[in-house]
Amino acid sequence: MQEQEGAPGALFVREAMGRATEELAEPPGLTAGAVREGRRRRLRARLAVGGAAVCTAALAATGLAALPGTGSGSGSGGDAGPAPLQMAAAPTAGPRVFPTTTVVPTASPGPSASGPAVPEAERLRIEDFRQRSANVLHDLLPAEVGSISLLSDHVSDYLGESPRGDLLLRLSVSPHTGGGPPDGPCTNTPVGQEVRVKTSVCKRVRVTDTVTGTTWRAVDGDGLTSTSVSFRLGSSDVYVGIMPYGKNRLSSPVPVDQVVAFAQQPRVMALLDEGDRHPVEEAQLSGPAYEE
């Protein structure tokens, strides 16, 4: 008999009979109390089952919320995907210091003459500007230019050394001397139009929305190439050039369009703007240029 009561069919019949008798009026006599007790037991059983289901759902939701990437996203789909990993901050590296190099004079394009001694504070300011300039040359130019060092006593010049050869890197922002720019083959040409002059090519380019410049790709008698861009910025003349230098000379590995792209970088423009507002090429470091 107990096995029959425990069968699924018996449970179904018992439940159906319970629902059918719930709405009936309580019978008189002792039976009424038994009926009320039976109804209370069925109600407690239902509440227990419902409470267990609610607890189970709450635990499941809590567990899902604890999993990474299962929270609702900000988009309309509500699914943000896996949360990004939070990487530990890398230790801050110390400032890079580039060495200063002295070399024997060569056919360098016009090294400056010896300048007067400058106050220590001014010398440190110029040195800091040069170190930061060398840093952007190192970071933003192709690796083919080699390792960077400062050329002594010439504020705008840097040396690029690699197993393939040596380069002079010039990042110059000097106060404008007054007067208009000299006439040249690209002075009045449309932007982007190349003009050939013997073995060299010049072209007007747009550096910013309001600044145009001139690029040159020049080939010397040894067949080695120099690339450069020049333009006016504020009250200064800017020149960015890469050219063969020294005894182990190398053609510029940077095309003119990449030289322009380098000059347009925010870090470079910030340096050029600083050099325009606070000139560094008016005061030269003391001592002869390019001595060894």
Side-chain angles (χ1 to χ4, degrees):
M1 183 66 180
Q2 292 179 352
E3 293 179 358
Q4 292 179 356
E5 290 179 353
L11 292 175
F12 177 78
V13 172
R14 182 188 302 172
E15 183 69 14
M17 293 177 64
R19 287 196 301 268
T21 58
E22 278 181 352
E23 303 301 327
L24 297 176
E26 295 181 356
L30 297 177
T31 310
V35 171
R36 285 195 299 271
E37 181 63 24
R39 289 176 178 175
R40 282 196 294 268
R41 288 181 179 178
R42 285 196 298 272
L43 179 60
R44 285 196 296 269
R46 290 173 184 173
L47 291 176
V49 172
V54 171
C55 292
T56 302
L59 288 173
T62 304
L64 288 174
L67 293 175
T70 55
S72 61
S74 58
S76 59
D79 184 6
L85 294 175
Q86 298 296 324
M87 303 298 293
T92 303
R96 184 187 290 112
V97 177
F98 294 88
T100 300
T101 301
T102 55
V103 296
V104 176
T106 63
S108 168
S112 64
S114 301
V118 297
E120 180 67 7
E122 180 71 356
R123 188 191 71 80
L124 292 175
R125 182 181 74 86
I126 295 173
E127 177 68 15
D128 174 68
F129 182 88
R130 299 191 74 197
Q131 290 287 338
R132 288 185 285 121
S133 298
N135 198 57
V136 299
L137 291 169
H138 175 275
D139 290 347
L140 302 180
L141 286 179
E144 287 80 2
V145 301
S147 59
I148 308 295
S149 58
L150 285 60
L151 282 174
S152 63
D153 305 324
H154 204 219
V155 172
S156 62
D157 287 357
Y158 305 82
L159 180 65
E161 296 179 283
S162 74
R164 297 177 55 201
D166 299 339
L167 295 163
L168 175 66
L169 312 174
R170 177 161 289 179
L171 182 62
S172 172
V173 50
S174 58
H176 186 60
T177 57
D183 291 335
C186 286
T187 301
N188 298 313
T189 58
V191 172
Q193 178 178 312
E194 293 186 345
V195 177
R196 182 169 292 277
V197 183
K198 297 183 179 180
T199 59
S200 301
V201 176
C202 68
K203 179 176 62 175
R204 286 184 68 233
V205 296
R206 191 167 298 282
V207 181
T208 70
D209 292 339
T210 58
V211 174
T212 58
T214 302
T215 63
W216 278 94
R217 181 183 181 276
V219 181
D220 64 15
D222 296 329
L224 300 177
T225 303
S226 301
T227 53
S228 64
V229 62
S230 58
F231 53 93
R232 178 84 175 269
L233 182 68
S235 301
S236 301
D237 296 319
V238 172
Y239 179 89
V240 180
I242 303 171
M243 58 207 78
Y245 184 74
K247 298 178 180 179
N248 187 24
R249 304 169 72 226
L250 173 68
S251 283
S252 170
V254 186
V256 289
D257 291 345
Q258 290 187 23
V259 176
V260 176
F262 167 81
Q264 293 171 329
Q265 293 296 309
R267 289 174 61 190
V268 180
M269 276 294 180
L271 277 172
L272 297 177
D273 182 67
E274 178 183 340
D276 174 52
R277 291 182 290 105
H278 307 288
V280 295
E281 293 191 39
E282 287 185 339
Q284 299 293 327
L285 301 180
S286 60
Y290 303 102
E291 288 188 351
E292 188 173 47

